[in-house]
């Protein structure tokens, strides 16, 4: 090893964000990635045709234009176009659909009798969406935006436990349930309330965006900035033992808590090791990629303008299926997250050949091929979809873990999103990024503030490293 000051293990959004902050502060940084490509959950590549690009993991990015790290990094100024579909997300039902348009007014008009309720409950959050994002993606150790911070617990409680009483129609209730299901766990719940309070208003503000050309473009922009500031990157470079990095002053692990256990072993104090061993991993995702001939033929035509579609039926159906899966049971009609990216990005495919992807929630570690399950769920709300399929590929929950070891058992959140594990993620301590091993830190989605492509785990970890290890308290600018 070269002996750079900081070694970052893993090149997902948090690892790359941390490396960028550290390199811009003048610290020498090396990134070690076990896979052939950099990006972690932001990788994109052709699967069936060289000119049809599929996102291998993340596809919709509500937090990329909203989080503090990416706001300051300014992806658009670096040539990464974050495309806003006409509707951020849609929720088809057996009759009708709820549509979250960019326009709050248009959304409310379509919801009819529930329109004024959507404006009453979601509208004020739209006005404060940046402050809410900053609070929920903070390090949970520093309070800002005091007024919003005082109001936010009531909003989380309302959307988490009382959402069914807020609206009278299936469309609005379904829209809330679909956003809540991004928490990937039992519903209703307080963590899901936090997810709704943050993500639902973003559809009407900075948007649920899709990067033009695929999610890899975000990773490529981070890599380019790191290289421009003298960082070094190594692909096909797995780290199996922390002692392999002994020449570095600091090691930052963009891994799930289990990853730290794997590389540190008996080096960890027994009490902290037991804490990491008790980390609970949540329900898994299984992914199906389709190559299709035509846009998804949603029965409700307006669904076709949405970049993300929540497929799962009514609020009651989604709550029941998500709760069953959180308990380790299979659901006959599970929640499926669907995207047809060419709705907004024609560069992703060809005439007669377009990518469609669907994520299905399954019990942790479930090895089942869910291709037919996902196909049938889409077909339920888009009759004729099956006739458009040219090819398909399922990535099961265990295969997702093989693709990225951070996804333990297929849990793409790198740890269950529960009240306990959001407060103590992964352990209850003053600095959630530091470990008992001097100079060793964590920054994955398994650490505060949790999962998602927002870079804030890496941002906060880098701030901690600069302060504790290098005596630097002022963070560098991130603009191009």
């Amino acid at each position: 090893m070269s002996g750079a000051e900081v070694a970052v293990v893993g090149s997902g959004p948090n690892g790359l964000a941390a490396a960028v902050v550290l390199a811009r502060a003048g610290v020498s940084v090396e990134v070690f990635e076990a896979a052939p490509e950099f990006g972690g959950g932001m990788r994109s590549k052709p699967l069936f045709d060289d000119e049809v690009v599929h996102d291998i993991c993340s596809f919709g990015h509500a937090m990329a234009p909203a989080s503090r790290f990416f706001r300051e990094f300014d992806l658009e100024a670096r040539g990464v176009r974050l495309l806003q579909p006409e509707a951020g997300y849609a929720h088809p039902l057996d009759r009708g659909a709820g549509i979250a348009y960019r326009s709050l007014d248009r959304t409310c008009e379509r919801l009819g009798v529930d329109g004024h309720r959507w404006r009453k409950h979601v509208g004020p959050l739209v006005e404060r969406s940046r402050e809410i994002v900053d609070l929920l993606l903070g390090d949970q150790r520093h309070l800002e935006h005091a007024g919003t911070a005082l109001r936010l617990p009531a909003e989380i409680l309302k959307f988490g436990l009382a959402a069914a009483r807020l609206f009278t129609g299936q469309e609005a209730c379904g829209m809330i349930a679909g956003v809540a299901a991004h928490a990937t766990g039992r519903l209703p719940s307080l963590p899901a309330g936090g997810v709704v309070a943050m993500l639902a208003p973003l559809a009407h503000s900075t948007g649920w965006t899709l990067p033009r050309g695929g999610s890899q473009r975000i990773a490529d922009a981070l890599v380019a900035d790191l290289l421009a500031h003298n960082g070094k990157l190594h692909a096909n470079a797995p780290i199996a033992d922390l002692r392999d990095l002994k020449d570095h002053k600091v090691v930052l692990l963009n891994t799930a808590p289990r990853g730290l256990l794997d590389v540190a072993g008996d080096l960890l104090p027994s009490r902290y090791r037991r804490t990491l061993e008790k980390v609970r991993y949540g329900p898994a995702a299984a992914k199906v990629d389709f190559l299709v001939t035509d846009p998804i033929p949603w029965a409700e035509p307006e669904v076709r303008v949405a970049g993300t579609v929540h497929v799962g039926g009514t609020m009651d159906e989604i709550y029941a299926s998500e709760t069953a899966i959180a308990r380790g049971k299979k659901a006959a009609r599970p929640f499926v997250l669907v995207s047809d990216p060419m709705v907004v990005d024609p560069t992703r495919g060809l005439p007669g050949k377009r990518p469609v992807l669907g994520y299905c929630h399954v019990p942790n570690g479930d090895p089942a091929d869910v291709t037919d399950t996902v196909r049938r769920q889409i077909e339920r709300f888009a009759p004729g979809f099956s006739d458009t399929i040219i090819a398909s590929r399922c990535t099961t929950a265990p295969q997702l873990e093989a693709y990225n070891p951070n996804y333990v058992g297929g849990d793409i959140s790198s740890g269950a999103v529960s009240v306990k594990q959001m407060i103590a993620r992964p352990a209850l301590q003053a600095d959630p990024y530091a470990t008992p091993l001097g100079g060793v830190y964590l920054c994955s989605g398994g650490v505060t503030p949790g999962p998602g492509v927002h870079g804030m785990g890496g941002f906060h970890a880098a701030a901690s490293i600069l302060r504790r290890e290098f005596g630097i308290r002022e963070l560098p600018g991130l603009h191009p």
Side-chain angles (χ1 to χ4, degrees):
M1 302 303 179
S2 71
E5 292 172 292
V6 178
V8 177
V9 179
S11 68
N14 285 308
L16 290 177
V20 163
V21 173
L22 293 167
R24 281 175 164 260
V27 175
S28 59
V29 180
E30 280 187 299
V31 176
F32 298 91
E33 170 56 56
E37 308 91 11
F38 302 107
M42 300 180 291
R43 300 183 187 123
S44 307
K45 66 180 182 181
L47 294 179
F48 308 107
D49 186 290
D50 288 344
E51 295 187 70
V52 181
V53 177
H54 290 253
D55 288 320
I56 303 305
C57 186
S58 62
F59 66 89
H61 295 276
M63 289 182 281
S67 80
R68 176 184 171 185
F69 172 77
F70 280 117
R71 289 198 313 260
E72 295 185 13
F73 189 71
D74 198 346
L75 288 165
E76 294 276 354
R78 299 169 185 275
V80 181
R81 291 192 58 197
L82 297 176
L83 303 173
Q84 275 206 52
E86 191 174 337
Y89 64 92
H91 194 100
L93 296 162
D94 291 319
R95 294 183 64 181
I99 314 290
Y101 296 103
R102 281 182 288 174
S103 166
L104 178 63
D105 290 340
R106 186 178 176 188
T107 302
C108 294
E109 288 170 8
R110 182 181 173 86
L111 286 173
V113 295
D114 272 335
H116 75 279
R117 294 181 177 91
W118 191 268
R119 190 182 303 279
K120 173 184 175 182
H121 296 299
V122 178
L125 303 185
V126 175
E127 298 169 7
R128 304 195 304 273
S129 61
R130 175 175 289 194
E131 294 181 1
I132 292 170
V133 169
D134 286 347
L135 284 166
L136 293 180
L137 297 186
D139 62 5
Q140 298 184 5
R141 303 301 185 271
H142 301 88
L143 182 64
E144 52 185 335
H145 309 305
T148 298
L150 289 172
R151 299 186 190 99
L152 191 55
E155 301 290 345
I156 292 173
L157 182 65
K158 177 175 70 177
F159 285 114
L161 301 181
R165 298 196 295 270
L166 301 180
F167 306 100
T168 60
Q170 296 284 8
E171 291 87 354
C173 284
M175 290 166 70
I176 294 296
V179 178
H182 284 255
T184 318
R186 178 181 60 83
L187 292 176
S189 70
L190 287 175
V195 169
V196 172
M198 180 168 62
L199 292 185
L202 289 179
H204 311 299
S205 56
T206 51
W208 285 31
T209 64
L210 283 78
R212 187 176 189 272
S215 296
Q216 185 72 48
R217 298 298 177 88
I218 297 177
D220 292 346
L222 291 165
V223 166
D225 189 83
L226 180 58
L227 292 173
H229 291 85
N230 302 313
K232 296 181 179 179
L233 296 104
H234 308 279
N236 295 306
I239 301 297
D241 192 318
L242 274 180
R243 284 164 288 210
D244 292 341
L245 301 171
K246 63 181 183 299
D247 292 336
H248 297 77
K249 179 178 180 178
V250 176
V251 175
L252 177 58
L253 299 168
N254 181 19
T255 66
R258 185 174 295 180
L260 174 56
L261 287 169
D262 290 341
V263 299
D266 292 340
L267 295 175
L268 289 169
S270 58
R271 183 176 179 180
Y272 187 77
R273 186 169 64 248
R274 287 194 299 270
T275 296
L276 296 189
E277 289 170 345
K278 292 178 182 177
V279 169
R280 186 168 60 86
Y281 293 91
K287 180 170 179 279
V288 182
D289 289 283
F290 296 100
L291 181 67
V292 301
T293 57
D294 298 289
I296 300 175
W298 300 109
E300 174 55 56
E302 280 298 287
V303 175
R304 302 176 192 182
V305 304
T308 299
V309 181
H310 298 144
V311 175
T314 65
M315 174 179 275
D316 287 344
E317 286 182 278
I318 291 173
Y319 279 13
S321 66
E322 288 293 280
T323 299
I325 288 166
R327 292 172 176 167
K329 301 176 182 178
K330 293 187 179 183
R333 286 181 163 184
F335 176 78
V336 180
L337 199 63
V338 179
S339 180
D340 178 355
M342 287 183 69
V343 163
V344 71
D345 182 7
T347 71
R348 296 287 297 275
L350 300 166
K353 289 184 178 180
R354 56 197 294 138
V356 165
L357 60 89
Y359 270 106
C360 172
H361 288 169
V362 298
N364 191 280
D366 185 355
D369 183 319
V370 298
T371 302
D372 196 53
T373 299
V374 170
R375 180 194 60 77
R376 283 187 284 107
Q377 275 289 70
I378 298 175
E379 180 84 18
R380 173 184 172 187
F381 304 103
F385 170 70
S386 300
D387 296 333
T388 72
I389 298 172
I390 302 170
S392 64
R393 185 192 82 160
C394 178
T395 306
T396 66
Q399 289 169 339
L400 269 178
E401 180 178 1
Y403 157 76
N404 188 337
N406 284 4
Y407 305 155
V408 177
D411 174 9
I412 59 176
S413 297
S414 298
V417 182
S418 64
V419 172
K420 177 182 176 182
Q421 290 194 177
M422 292 308 291
I423 295 172
R425 195 170 183 90
L428 188 61
Q429 55 188 39
D431 187 336
Y433 312 100
T435 76
L437 298 178
V440 177
Y441 294 77
L442 278 170
C443 75
S444 71
V447 185
T448 300
V453 179
H454 46 65
M456 291 305 295
F459 179 86
H460 295 311
S464 177
I465 290 168
L466 289 173
R467 182 178 67 254
R468 293 165 62 111
E469 305 290 344
F470 297 97
I472 299 173
R473 295 187 174 275
E474 185 173 347
L475 295 178
L478 298 176
H479 290 287

